Amino acid sequence: MNQKLSQRLYLLMLLPVVALAPLAALVRYLWAVLTNPGRAWGIARAFDRVFNVAANGDERETVSSRAARARDEGRAWGCVLCRLLDRLDAGHCDQAKGV
């Protein structure tokens, strides 16, 4: 069997784990909100990075830092998202660039 096909089959076998992981993380996030807010922020950042990867971004980057770069490059979506995020948390995108 060629390598690409076997890799795809392996990825398909991981599907149940990939499907259950967000549910487990969400339950842990809700518990952490009540018991350990620092852990909750870490889980929220992990979800942020997963969303960024799903949107063709780098897995090491958050949506906010990606939006800040896009804004700095004059891309409309980055400007709009940073404006929205900055209304919720002043300077959010600029702070995220260091993340």
Side-chain angles (χ1 to χ4, degrees):
M1 187 179 318
N2 81 34
Q3 187 176 3
K4 285 186 180 187
L5 181 59
S6 64
Q7 183 180 27
R8 287 184 177 132
L9 288 173
Y10 181 72
L11 288 169
L12 284 174
M13 289 188 309
L14 287 175
L15 186 61
V17 174
V18 171
L20 289 175
L23 180 59
L26 183 60
V27 169
R28 180 61 174 103
Y29 171 77
L30 291 172
W31 180 252
V33 166
L34 299 172
T35 62
N36 186 349
R39 172 69 62 179
W41 280 112
I43 294 169
R45 279 189 297 275
F47 272 114
D48 191 345
R49 287 184 170 99
V50 167
F51 181 79
N52 190 47
V53 169
N56 287 331
D58 187 305
E59 69 268 9
R60 297 165 295 176
E61 184 176 39
T62 64
V63 173
S64 301
S65 62
R66 184 176 173 193
R69 282 190 306 102
R71 179 202 58 201
D72 294 347
E73 294 168 2
R75 296 167 71 192
W77 75 268
C79 295
V80 170
L81 184 56
C82 283
R83 209 172 300 127
L84 174 66
L85 290 171
D86 286 345
R87 290 186 80 168
L88 300 172
D89 178 28
H92 182 86
C93 283
D94 289 330
Q95 293 170 11
K97 282 197 281 189
V99 172

